[in-house]
Amino acid sequence: MHLFYKIFLALFVIFIGFNLYVMEWDLGFWHEENAKFILSISAGIIGILVVFVMHTLSKFTEKK
């Protein structure tokens, strides 16, 4: 994996972990106060998926 992809993968994992930490679990997962954290977590998950797709596409171009 390229260094560029590893850096972004680490940032997205830290981002998701921080949002899980600051979420107020006593209010419930779908509470209005937690909506911003759920949105941030979903953006981090999409970011991780994009990093893996970009890495896979870069491996295809290297094989040619």
Side-chain angles (χ1 to χ4, degrees):
M1 203 176 226
H2 298 288
L3 180 65
F4 181 74
Y5 298 136
K6 288 180 184 178
I7 291 170
F8 275 98
L9 184 64
L11 285 175
F12 285 130
V13 168
I14 291 170
F15 190 64
I16 290 171
F18 177 74
N19 282 310
L20 286 174
Y21 176 74
V22 297
M23 190 176 286
E24 297 179 29
W25 292 101
D26 56 338
L27 294 177
F29 188 74
W30 293 109
H31 192 267
E32 184 178 327
E33 289 290 321
N34 291 333
K36 56 189 170 199
F37 302 123
I38 294 171
L39 182 64
S40 297
I41 290 170
S42 62
I45 291 170
I46 290 172
I48 288 174
L49 291 174
V50 167
V51 166
F52 280 122
V53 166
M54 289 178 62
H55 175 65
T56 304
L57 291 176
S58 71
K59 285 182 9 183
F60 287 145
T61 59
E62 290 174 0
K63 289 184 179 181
K64 286 186 176 181

